[in-house]
Amino acid sequence: MIPAVPATVDGGVHDGAQSANAPLLPETSLKGQRPPARQKRPSTVLPAIAWTVLLLALAGLVVYRQGHGGGQAAAPGDQVAAAGRVVEVAASRGVVQGVSEKSTAPALLGGGAYDWTNAMLAWQRTAFHFQPQKNWMNDPNGPLYYKGWYHLFYQWNPDGAVWGNITWGHAVSRDLVHWLHLPLAMVPDHWYDINGVWTGSATQLPDGRIMMLYTGSTEDGVQVQLLAEPADPSDPLLRRWAKSEANPVLVPPPGVGLTDFRDPTTAWLNPADKAWRIAIGSKNQEHAGLALVYSTEDFVHYDLLPTLLHVVQGTGMWECVDFYPVSAELAAGVGLDTSAAPGPGVKHVLKASLDDDRNDYYAIGTYDPATDRWAPDDAAIDVGIGLRYDYGKFYASKTFYDPVGRRRVLWGWIGESDSERADVLKGWASLQSIPRTVLMDTKTGSNLLQWPVVEVENLRMRGKRFDGLDLQPGSVVPLDVGRATQLDIEAVFQVQAGAAAAGSVAAGAEAPYNCSASAGAAGRGLLGPFGLLVVADDSLSEQTAVYFYLVRGADGKLSTHFCQDAFRSSRANDLVKAVYGSSVPVLTGEDLSVRILVDHSIVESFAQGGRTCITSRVYPTKAIYDSARVFLFNNATNVNVTAKSIKIWELNSAYIRPYPDSS
């Protein structure tokens, strides 16, 4: 085994305090200090279609040393989780009920099931990502800040680890990291939401009142919009909610399908007539995705406006539409309230979650309050055909404006990539992303920047640093970082420009590169891939590669791709393993930089200060507990790379737990 490179600096234990070392990459700065009985519901369990989960038949490519082996034998004292159990799963969930697919079964290929052990499944539970204590979770709903507490509501199934019986779970936090579970906020207990309390958004009025609009699925499966308000506005925990006597406040308008009308946005105040606006996602008969716009003064009575906020042909049903302003001013560094007036220095972001491919797309453009229309700055990268929040496992996202931090914060649902059978065995499914700040990238002027909220850095404990490590073509360098399942990694790479130019000129232009269609980190090119291997075992039989890949085009210019490869993340076979990624803008004079958050079965990566982001779910069988490792690698054939600076911190647990009196 290659000896691990020792760190040049060992920061020691910080007791959760932020590292004294200056952070490598941009971050949101916060100024000032932050203020420090369940209802019984009817069961609507849907009959599952019994079938055998299909094996994933992806070819097992090995990057450096050793191919995929057979099944992992149980360790002494460990037991196969499914021993003696019959687990029924479904071929599909959610589509028949009028929402996007909620099962991984259609994406799995082959047949059979892996013998997961209890220890393997227990390791997958995260330490600092938000998740309920048990069962299924999906979309984040109605996030807001109220009287000293951050609130997160979310789609939850109180009855099991698969989609169905959707209620609203609820949790609160002082810092967006340490969460406390509260009793259910809303349950399906009326005819208008008996088949599900679905996605919604919160609007805080100038007088402090909260209007929570959400989609309900009626007893006939029709999607309608509903209003709820806090039953006790004096309660900072917002533990009780009252549904409006006027519900449903909106029903599908003529020409809109009964199951194509969902997910109202946070409202914004139109400066032209001082009335509120909301947008709702839908599609037309030509399969164009669109956002309807309604006007209201009291959140009970609404007028459908004659114009659409926006429409894009061929994009299909728009779910979880989000619409908000961002500052285009240089060095602004702050977020904007949803009702910030359009004008010089203000752009608007329109985002839609596409039912067709279950990815979140956004575009930056201009909102005209006189016509209630929005237009993209660049039609070639319009909503649904251009930029994405995240090029991995990330969907149904929702932002809110944090008035304390003066920032816009983004949440995203991170689903599973394993089988439904495995989820039932472990008793839970899905996570929320680390909350991210969102800013306009004023350097490029064409994309957003996403970055973990600064409070995450308070989880940093032991820190190690490695400087100036040379990576020759074909090399793998282990890093001595100790425990490697809860990490915050910041890395900067430099490519030897002279050698890169000479090699590319000699070989001519390379073929275009696509992360998702590539062989991942195993596919060698002149100028890539190179980066880090995380959640890896000593023999590299399991590894998740986070890497850059450079390509010189026919015009002689370099393009940079940022990718995350889970092909070799596990020896198990009942998983969806993929290479995710996209191109990332790199400006003149910039080094290549990446931040990686590793939290057991989730890897979130942010390239070039958050211009391109990737999230993967990984389920190793060997690279778990004390066997997880971190490596640097350079699998390019014709370029030397220097790891200019690598900083790695072990992260503490967020100790997410029930609120003390929430029973």
Short mmCIF file of all heavy atoms in Angstrom, two decimals, residues 102-147:
data_model
loop_
_atom_site.label_atom_id
_atom_site.label_comp_id
_atom_site.label_asym_id
_atom_site.label_seq_id
_atom_site.Cartn_x
_atom_site.Cartn_y
_atom_site.Cartn_z
N LYS A 102 -41.39 8.85 -7.90
CA LYS A 102 -40.77 8.86 -6.58
C LYS A 102 -40.06 7.54 -6.26
O LYS A 102 -39.67 7.31 -5.11
CB LYS A 102 -41.82 9.14 -5.50
CG LYS A 102 -42.52 10.49 -5.63
CD LYS A 102 -41.54 11.65 -5.51
CE LYS A 102 -42.23 13.00 -5.40
NZ LYS A 102 -42.95 13.40 -6.61
N SER A 103 -39.86 6.67 -7.23
CA SER A 103 -39.18 5.41 -7.01
C SER A 103 -37.98 5.31 -7.94
O SER A 103 -38.02 5.80 -9.08
CB SER A 103 -40.13 4.22 -7.27
OG SER A 103 -39.43 2.99 -7.23
N THR A 104 -36.91 4.66 -7.48
CA THR A 104 -35.75 4.43 -8.34
C THR A 104 -35.92 3.20 -9.21
O THR A 104 -35.08 2.94 -10.08
CB THR A 104 -34.47 4.25 -7.50
OG1 THR A 104 -34.66 3.16 -6.59
CG2 THR A 104 -34.12 5.51 -6.75
N ALA A 105 -36.99 2.44 -9.01
CA ALA A 105 -37.15 1.18 -9.72
C ALA A 105 -37.04 1.32 -11.24
O ALA A 105 -36.38 0.50 -11.89
CB ALA A 105 -38.47 0.53 -9.34
N PRO A 106 -37.67 2.33 -11.88
CA PRO A 106 -37.55 2.42 -13.34
C PRO A 106 -36.12 2.63 -13.83
O PRO A 106 -35.82 2.33 -14.99
CB PRO A 106 -38.43 3.64 -13.68
CG PRO A 106 -39.40 3.75 -12.56
CD PRO A 106 -38.62 3.33 -11.35
N ALA A 107 -35.23 3.14 -12.98
CA ALA A 107 -33.86 3.41 -13.41
C ALA A 107 -32.93 2.22 -13.17
O ALA A 107 -31.80 2.22 -13.66
CB ALA A 107 -33.31 4.63 -12.68
N LEU A 108 -33.38 1.23 -12.41
CA LEU A 108 -32.54 0.07 -12.12
C LEU A 108 -32.67 -0.96 -13.22
O LEU A 108 -33.75 -1.22 -13.73
CB LEU A 108 -32.94 -0.55 -10.78
CG LEU A 108 -32.63 0.29 -9.53
CD1 LEU A 108 -33.27 -0.33 -8.31
CD2 LEU A 108 -31.13 0.41 -9.34
N LEU A 109 -31.54 -1.57 -13.58
CA LEU A 109 -31.50 -2.57 -14.64
C LEU A 109 -31.05 -3.90 -14.06
O LEU A 109 -30.33 -3.96 -13.08
CB LEU A 109 -30.53 -2.14 -15.75
CG LEU A 109 -30.75 -0.73 -16.32
CD1 LEU A 109 -29.61 -0.38 -17.26
CD2 LEU A 109 -32.07 -0.65 -17.04
N GLY A 110 -31.46 -5.00 -14.70
CA GLY A 110 -31.01 -6.31 -14.26
C GLY A 110 -31.99 -6.94 -13.30
O GLY A 110 -33.19 -6.68 -13.33
N GLY A 111 -31.54 -7.82 -12.42
CA GLY A 111 -32.43 -8.49 -11.48
C GLY A 111 -31.67 -8.95 -10.26
O GLY A 111 -30.47 -9.20 -10.29
N GLY A 112 -32.36 -9.06 -9.13
CA GLY A 112 -31.72 -9.51 -7.91
C GLY A 112 -31.64 -8.41 -6.89
O GLY A 112 -32.13 -7.30 -7.09
N ALA A 113 -31.01 -8.70 -5.78
CA ALA A 113 -30.88 -7.72 -4.70
C ALA A 113 -29.62 -8.02 -3.92
O ALA A 113 -29.24 -9.18 -3.73
CB ALA A 113 -32.10 -7.78 -3.79
N TYR A 114 -28.96 -6.98 -3.46
CA TYR A 114 -27.71 -7.13 -2.72
C TYR A 114 -28.01 -7.47 -1.26
O TYR A 114 -29.00 -7.00 -0.69
CB TYR A 114 -26.92 -5.83 -2.81
CG TYR A 114 -25.53 -5.92 -2.24
CD1 TYR A 114 -24.51 -6.54 -2.96
CD2 TYR A 114 -25.23 -5.40 -0.99
CE1 TYR A 114 -23.23 -6.63 -2.44
CE2 TYR A 114 -23.96 -5.49 -0.46
CZ TYR A 114 -22.96 -6.10 -1.19
OH TYR A 114 -21.69 -6.19 -0.68
N ASP A 115 -27.14 -8.25 -0.66
CA ASP A 115 -27.29 -8.62 0.75
C ASP A 115 -26.66 -7.54 1.63
O ASP A 115 -25.54 -7.68 2.12
CB ASP A 115 -26.64 -9.98 1.02
CG ASP A 115 -27.48 -11.14 0.51
OD1 ASP A 115 -28.70 -10.95 0.35
OD2 ASP A 115 -26.91 -12.21 0.25
N TRP A 116 -27.41 -6.48 1.83
CA TRP A 116 -26.93 -5.41 2.70
C TRP A 116 -26.93 -5.90 4.15
O TRP A 116 -27.88 -6.53 4.61
CB TRP A 116 -27.84 -4.19 2.59
CG TRP A 116 -27.78 -3.52 1.26
CD1 TRP A 116 -28.67 -3.66 0.24
CD2 TRP A 116 -26.78 -2.62 0.81
NE1 TRP A 116 -28.28 -2.90 -0.84
CE2 TRP A 116 -27.12 -2.25 -0.52
CE3 TRP A 116 -25.62 -2.09 1.39
CZ2 TRP A 116 -26.35 -1.37 -1.27
CZ3 TRP A 116 -24.86 -1.21 0.64
CH2 TRP A 116 -25.21 -0.85 -0.66
N THR A 117 -25.86 -5.57 4.88
CA THR A 117 -25.81 -5.91 6.29
C THR A 117 -26.33 -4.74 7.12
O THR A 117 -26.39 -3.60 6.64
CB THR A 117 -24.38 -6.25 6.74
OG1 THR A 117 -23.58 -5.06 6.66
CG2 THR A 117 -23.77 -7.34 5.86
N ASN A 118 -26.66 -5.02 8.34
CA ASN A 118 -27.15 -3.96 9.22
C ASN A 118 -26.10 -2.87 9.40
O ASN A 118 -26.42 -1.68 9.46
CB ASN A 118 -27.53 -4.54 10.59
CG ASN A 118 -28.77 -5.41 10.51
OD1 ASN A 118 -29.69 -5.11 9.76
ND2 ASN A 118 -28.78 -6.50 11.25
N ALA A 119 -24.84 -3.25 9.48
CA ALA A 119 -23.77 -2.26 9.67
C ALA A 119 -23.65 -1.34 8.46
O ALA A 119 -23.43 -0.14 8.60
CB ALA A 119 -22.44 -2.97 9.93
N MET A 120 -23.76 -1.91 7.26
CA MET A 120 -23.69 -1.08 6.04
C MET A 120 -24.83 -0.08 6.01
O MET A 120 -24.63 1.11 5.71
CB MET A 120 -23.77 -1.98 4.80
CG MET A 120 -22.61 -2.91 4.60
SD MET A 120 -22.97 -4.02 3.20
CE MET A 120 -21.63 -5.20 3.37
N LEU A 121 -26.04 -0.54 6.29
CA LEU A 121 -27.20 0.35 6.24
C LEU A 121 -27.14 1.41 7.33
O LEU A 121 -27.50 2.57 7.10
CB LEU A 121 -28.49 -0.46 6.35
CG LEU A 121 -28.77 -1.45 5.22
CD1 LEU A 121 -30.07 -2.22 5.49
CD2 LEU A 121 -28.86 -0.74 3.87
N ALA A 122 -26.68 1.04 8.51
CA ALA A 122 -26.59 2.02 9.60
C ALA A 122 -25.58 3.12 9.26
O ALA A 122 -25.78 4.29 9.61
CB ALA A 122 -26.19 1.32 10.89
N TRP A 123 -24.49 2.76 8.57
CA TRP A 123 -23.47 3.75 8.22
C TRP A 123 -24.02 4.82 7.28
O TRP A 123 -23.56 5.96 7.28
CB TRP A 123 -22.29 3.05 7.55
CG TRP A 123 -21.22 3.99 7.11
CD1 TRP A 123 -20.16 4.44 7.83
CD2 TRP A 123 -21.12 4.62 5.82
NE1 TRP A 123 -19.40 5.31 7.08
CE2 TRP A 123 -19.97 5.43 5.84
CE3 TRP A 123 -21.87 4.57 4.65
CZ2 TRP A 123 -19.57 6.19 4.74
CZ3 TRP A 123 -21.49 5.32 3.55
CH2 TRP A 123 -20.34 6.12 3.60
N GLN A 124 -25.02 4.48 6.47
CA GLN A 124 -25.51 5.41 5.44
C GLN A 124 -26.21 6.63 6.02
O GLN A 124 -26.31 7.66 5.35
CB GLN A 124 -26.47 4.67 4.49
CG GLN A 124 -25.80 3.61 3.65
CD GLN A 124 -26.78 2.78 2.85
OE1 GLN A 124 -27.96 3.14 2.71
NE2 GLN A 124 -26.33 1.66 2.32
N ARG A 125 -26.69 6.54 7.25
CA ARG A 125 -27.39 7.69 7.83
C ARG A 125 -26.41 8.83 8.08
O ARG A 125 -25.32 8.63 8.59
CB ARG A 125 -28.09 7.29 9.13
CG ARG A 125 -29.03 8.37 9.62
CD ARG A 125 -29.96 7.88 10.70
NE ARG A 125 -30.84 8.96 11.14
CZ ARG A 125 -32.01 9.27 10.58
NH1 ARG A 125 -32.46 8.54 9.58
NH2 ARG A 125 -32.74 10.28 11.02
N THR A 126 -26.83 10.05 7.73
CA THR A 126 -25.91 11.19 7.76
C THR A 126 -25.82 11.80 9.15
O THR A 126 -26.64 11.55 10.03
CB THR A 126 -26.35 12.25 6.75
OG1 THR A 126 -27.65 12.73 7.10
CG2 THR A 126 -26.39 11.68 5.34
N ALA A 127 -24.81 12.67 9.30
CA ALA A 127 -24.54 13.30 10.59
C ALA A 127 -24.92 14.77 10.64
O ALA A 127 -25.27 15.28 11.70
CB ALA A 127 -23.05 13.15 10.95
N PHE A 128 -24.84 15.47 9.50
CA PHE A 128 -25.13 16.91 9.54
C PHE A 128 -26.05 17.38 8.41
O PHE A 128 -26.26 18.57 8.25
CB PHE A 128 -23.83 17.74 9.56
CG PHE A 128 -22.87 17.45 8.42
CD1 PHE A 128 -22.98 18.10 7.21
CD2 PHE A 128 -21.84 16.55 8.60
CE1 PHE A 128 -22.09 17.85 6.18
CE2 PHE A 128 -20.93 16.30 7.58
CZ PHE A 128 -21.05 16.94 6.37
N HIS A 129 -26.60 16.46 7.63
CA HIS A 129 -27.66 16.80 6.68
C HIS A 129 -29.01 16.57 7.34
O HIS A 129 -29.17 15.61 8.11
CB HIS A 129 -27.55 15.95 5.41
CG HIS A 129 -26.50 16.43 4.47
ND1 HIS A 129 -25.16 16.21 4.69
CD2 HIS A 129 -26.59 17.11 3.30
CE1 HIS A 129 -24.46 16.75 3.69
NE2 HIS A 129 -25.30 17.31 2.84
N PHE A 130 -29.97 17.43 7.02
CA PHE A 130 -31.28 17.27 7.65
C PHE A 130 -32.00 16.04 7.11
O PHE A 130 -32.10 15.84 5.90
CB PHE A 130 -32.17 18.49 7.44
CG PHE A 130 -33.52 18.30 8.07
CD1 PHE A 130 -33.68 18.51 9.43
CD2 PHE A 130 -34.60 17.84 7.33
CE1 PHE A 130 -34.92 18.28 10.03
CE2 PHE A 130 -35.82 17.62 7.92
CZ PHE A 130 -35.99 17.84 9.28
N GLN A 131 -32.51 15.23 8.01
CA GLN A 131 -33.41 14.14 7.66
C GLN A 131 -34.26 13.81 8.87
O GLN A 131 -33.84 14.03 10.02
CB GLN A 131 -32.64 12.90 7.18
CG GLN A 131 -31.67 12.31 8.17
CD GLN A 131 -30.89 11.14 7.60
OE1 GLN A 131 -29.68 11.14 7.57
NE2 GLN A 131 -31.59 10.11 7.13
N PRO A 132 -35.48 13.30 8.64
CA PRO A 132 -36.33 12.92 9.77
C PRO A 132 -35.73 11.73 10.51
O PRO A 132 -34.77 11.10 10.05
CB PRO A 132 -37.66 12.54 9.10
CG PRO A 132 -37.59 13.08 7.72
CD PRO A 132 -36.15 13.10 7.34
N GLN A 133 -36.33 11.40 11.64
CA GLN A 133 -35.84 10.27 12.41
C GLN A 133 -36.07 8.95 11.69
O GLN A 133 -35.32 7.99 11.90
CB GLN A 133 -36.51 10.25 13.79
CG GLN A 133 -36.11 11.42 14.67
CD GLN A 133 -36.86 11.44 15.98
OE1 GLN A 133 -38.06 11.71 16.03
NE2 GLN A 133 -36.16 11.14 17.06
N LYS A 134 -37.10 8.90 10.85
CA LYS A 134 -37.39 7.68 10.11
C LYS A 134 -38.31 8.02 8.93
O LYS A 134 -38.78 9.15 8.79
CB LYS A 134 -38.07 6.64 11.01
CG LYS A 134 -39.41 7.09 11.58
CD LYS A 134 -40.04 6.02 12.46
CE LYS A 134 -41.40 6.49 13.00
NZ LYS A 134 -42.04 5.44 13.84
N ASN A 135 -38.49 7.05 8.05
CA ASN A 135 -39.47 7.09 6.98
C ASN A 135 -39.07 7.98 5.80
O ASN A 135 -37.98 8.51 5.73
CB ASN A 135 -40.86 7.46 7.52
CG ASN A 135 -41.41 6.41 8.47
OD1 ASN A 135 -40.89 5.30 8.57
ND2 ASN A 135 -42.45 6.76 9.18
N TRP A 136 -39.99 8.11 4.88
CA TRP A 136 -39.78 8.80 3.61
C TRP A 136 -39.90 10.31 3.77
O TRP A 136 -40.77 10.82 4.48
CB TRP A 136 -40.82 8.34 2.59
CG TRP A 136 -40.86 9.17 1.34
CD1 TRP A 136 -41.57 10.33 1.15
CD2 TRP A 136 -40.16 8.93 0.13
NE1 TRP A 136 -41.35 10.82 -0.12
CE2 TRP A 136 -40.48 9.98 -0.77
CE3 TRP A 136 -39.28 7.93 -0.30
CZ2 TRP A 136 -39.97 10.05 -2.07
CZ3 TRP A 136 -38.78 8.01 -1.60
CH2 TRP A 136 -39.13 9.06 -2.45
N MET A 137 -39.04 11.05 3.04
CA MET A 137 -39.14 12.50 2.93
C MET A 137 -38.90 12.90 1.49
O MET A 137 -38.10 12.28 0.79
CB MET A 137 -38.09 13.17 3.84
CG MET A 137 -38.00 14.70 3.69
SD MET A 137 -36.78 15.45 4.82
CE MET A 137 -35.26 14.77 4.18
N ASN A 138 -39.58 13.98 1.02
CA ASN A 138 -39.19 14.57 -0.26
C ASN A 138 -39.16 16.09 -0.16
O ASN A 138 -38.38 16.62 0.62
CB ASN A 138 -39.99 14.02 -1.44
CG ASN A 138 -41.49 14.08 -1.33
OD1 ASN A 138 -42.10 13.34 -0.56
ND2 ASN A 138 -42.13 14.93 -2.13
N ASP A 139 -39.94 16.83 -0.92
CA ASP A 139 -39.73 18.26 -1.13
C ASP A 139 -39.62 19.09 0.15
O ASP A 139 -40.43 18.92 1.07
CB ASP A 139 -40.89 18.85 -1.94
CG ASP A 139 -41.16 18.13 -3.23
OD1 ASP A 139 -40.57 17.06 -3.45
OD2 ASP A 139 -41.98 18.63 -4.02
N PRO A 140 -38.68 20.05 0.18
CA PRO A 140 -38.70 21.09 1.22
C PRO A 140 -39.85 22.05 0.94
O PRO A 140 -40.12 22.39 -0.21
CB PRO A 140 -37.35 21.77 1.05
CG PRO A 140 -37.00 21.60 -0.40
CD PRO A 140 -37.57 20.26 -0.79
N ASN A 141 -40.53 22.48 1.98
CA ASN A 141 -41.70 23.35 1.83
C ASN A 141 -41.62 24.55 2.76
O ASN A 141 -41.15 24.45 3.90
CB ASN A 141 -42.98 22.59 2.16
CG ASN A 141 -43.28 21.46 1.20
OD1 ASN A 141 -43.89 20.46 1.57
ND2 ASN A 141 -42.84 21.57 -0.04
N GLY A 142 -42.09 25.69 2.28
CA GLY A 142 -42.32 26.87 3.10
C GLY A 142 -41.22 27.28 4.04
O GLY A 142 -41.50 27.71 5.18
N PRO A 143 -39.93 27.22 3.67
CA PRO A 143 -38.90 27.66 4.60
C PRO A 143 -39.03 29.15 4.91
O PRO A 143 -39.39 29.95 4.04
CB PRO A 143 -37.60 27.35 3.86
CG PRO A 143 -37.96 27.36 2.42
CD PRO A 143 -39.37 26.85 2.35
N LEU A 144 -38.74 29.52 6.14
CA LEU A 144 -38.83 30.92 6.53
C LEU A 144 -38.09 31.14 7.84
O LEU A 144 -37.74 30.18 8.55
CB LEU A 144 -40.28 31.39 6.67
CG LEU A 144 -41.08 30.92 7.90
CD1 LEU A 144 -42.20 31.90 8.19
CD2 LEU A 144 -41.65 29.52 7.68
N TYR A 145 -37.88 32.42 8.16
CA TYR A 145 -37.31 32.82 9.45
C TYR A 145 -38.39 33.58 10.20
O TYR A 145 -39.01 34.51 9.68
CB TYR A 145 -36.08 33.72 9.24
CG TYR A 145 -35.44 34.17 10.52
CD1 TYR A 145 -34.52 33.37 11.18
CD2 TYR A 145 -35.76 35.41 11.08
CE1 TYR A 145 -33.92 33.78 12.37
CE2 TYR A 145 -35.18 35.83 12.27
CZ TYR A 145 -34.26 35.01 12.90
OH TYR A 145 -33.69 35.42 14.07
N TYR A 146 -38.63 33.17 11.47
CA TYR A 146 -39.73 33.78 12.23
C TYR A 146 -39.36 33.83 13.71
O TYR A 146 -39.12 32.81 14.35
CB TYR A 146 -41.00 32.95 12.04
CG TYR A 146 -42.25 33.56 12.62
CD1 TYR A 146 -42.85 34.68 12.04
CD2 TYR A 146 -42.85 33.01 13.75
CE1 TYR A 146 -44.01 35.23 12.56
CE2 TYR A 146 -44.02 33.55 14.28
CZ TYR A 146 -44.59 34.67 13.68
OH TYR A 146 -45.75 35.21 14.20
N LYS A 147 -39.29 35.04 14.24
CA LYS A 147 -39.11 35.27 15.67
C LYS A 147 -37.96 34.46 16.26
O LYS A 147 -38.10 33.78 17.29
CB LYS A 147 -40.41 34.99 16.43
CG LYS A 147 -41.53 35.96 16.07
CD LYS A 147 -42.74 35.82 16.95
CE LYS A 147 -43.79 36.90 16.62
NZ LYS A 147 -44.97 36.83 17.49
#
